[in-house]
Amino acid sequence: MGPASRGPLDGLLVADFSRVLAGPYATMLLADLGADVVKVEGPGGDDTRGWTPPVRDGVSTYYLGINRGKRSIALDFRDDRDARLARELARRADVLIENVKPGGLTRYGLDHASVSSGNPGVVYTSISGFGTGPGRRVPGYDLMVQAISGLMSLTGEPDGPPYRAGISVFDVMAGNHAAIGIFAALRHRDATGRGQLVEVNLLSSALTGLVNHSSAYVAGGTVPYRMGNAHPSIFPYEPLPTADRDLIVTAANDNQFRKLCDALGIPGIADDPRFRHNTDRTERRAELRPLLVERLRTRPALEWFDLLVDAGVHCGPINTIDGGFAMAERFGLDPVVEVGEGDRAVPTTRHPIRFSETPASYRLPPPELDEHGAELRKWLENEPGGDDTEDDHA
């Protein structure tokens, strides 16, 4: 591959003072795109190193999934020398990202005011649970945000208890928002030469991520409630049983519903006055659902999937994770890439964005704790521009 293969962020230095998920996820995305990400860990390492099972060769797969492409240095900020090295890294960085409890880095001279005074071009990115105002005293864990934001009130059966999402959805969302904020701030820096403070909090990410449900309350004064897998405004738009397992079937407008009925061999249903329009179908879902299920039970889910997709109907089988990867392979998405070589090679999930000119790259496997400590200490202790400032960390 040519020089551009290092990615669109080649030459960007990212000081990663974050841990667990939201911050490390954001910095992994930056590393995939060519940024030089230095992962600063405490002497005990990132918490996720100990989040097991499952493991691969004794290493937490949670940690492996969000830390490729980075170099690790372990620094104890209570040690004057280590704190000085951390400040030097911050001084040289294009981007600094942290998710320490608000105010927690001030005593070490690593807060935004201190770092930007010596590095006015830095894009300083802070991720918190509930902002830097009155919510600063509340620790920010994804499960708490799922509860506080209202997401759990929307998840589960109508007559059952609220449920959390199966992943830390708002950590991932906040990580993406952090990356978007960084890109925007870098664009501003390109134009003005000035960096800025970028702040992301999980609760704000959650409220914007609730999209139509947030709008139902803010614009419509309606408090949504959980409906299991049903949609409050569209039918069908939920799992329906087939001969072997459930299939998600969606028909969000009248034309899609007609295509569904034609493919199921019940074209007359689309002309039935009870079901002619989406509002009718939503109000009479209890009458319509059995008519659709009766036909769907005649074939297995994957047969219906191919038949319905060919007919222009939106649908998909409910898979386990292995089935999800298998479908991505089937669609030619090549979802798994290998990072590292030899004994250090690790299969990992492909970066989600594709670039025609500057593709993502996967140069370094997730680092062992302080794996690059010696070279990074040597680099940080030398004056910028010396022999060790470029080749040693490329």
Side-chain angles (χ1 to χ4, degrees), residues 14 23 37 43 49 79 104-105 152 175 181 202 221 243 252 294 301 320 375-376:
V14 178
V37 177
R49 290 183 181 274
D79 178 87
L105 292 178
M152 290 180 65
L202 270 64
E294 182 180 7
T320 50
E375 68 185 67
L376 286 167

Side-chain angles (χ1 to χ4, degrees), residues 245-262:
R245 54 179 161 146
D246 283 359
L247 181 76
I248 296 292
V249 177
T250 74
N253 59 48
D254 298 344
N255 184 51
Q256 290 176 5
F257 182 66
R258 180 170 297 280
K259 289 179 179 180
L260 171 64
C261 292
D262 288 345

Side-chain angles (χ1 to χ4, degrees), residues 140-147 164 167-172 202:
Y141 289 91
D142 185 273
L143 180 57
M144 294 167 55
V145 179
Q146 290 195 32
R164 66 180 289 269
I167 64 165
S168 296
V169 60
F170 295 137
D171 269 327
V172 174
L202 270 64

Side-chain angles (χ1 to χ4, degrees), residues 185-243:
L186 288 172
R187 176 68 180 87
H188 175 263
R189 191 183 74 169
D190 288 344
T192 68
R194 298 191 304 273
Q196 62 181 295
L197 174 62
V198 175
E199 293 183 288
V200 175
N201 71 81
L202 270 64
L203 183 55
S204 293
S205 285
L207 295 180
T208 190
L210 290 174
V211 286
N212 57 304
H213 295 297
S214 290
S215 185
Y217 170 67
V218 173
T222 298
V223 177
Y225 57 92
R226 58 184 172 275
M227 300 178 62
N229 288 313
H231 193 288
S233 309
I234 306 171
F235 186 84
Y237 195 96
E238 62 184 60
L240 296 174
T242 68

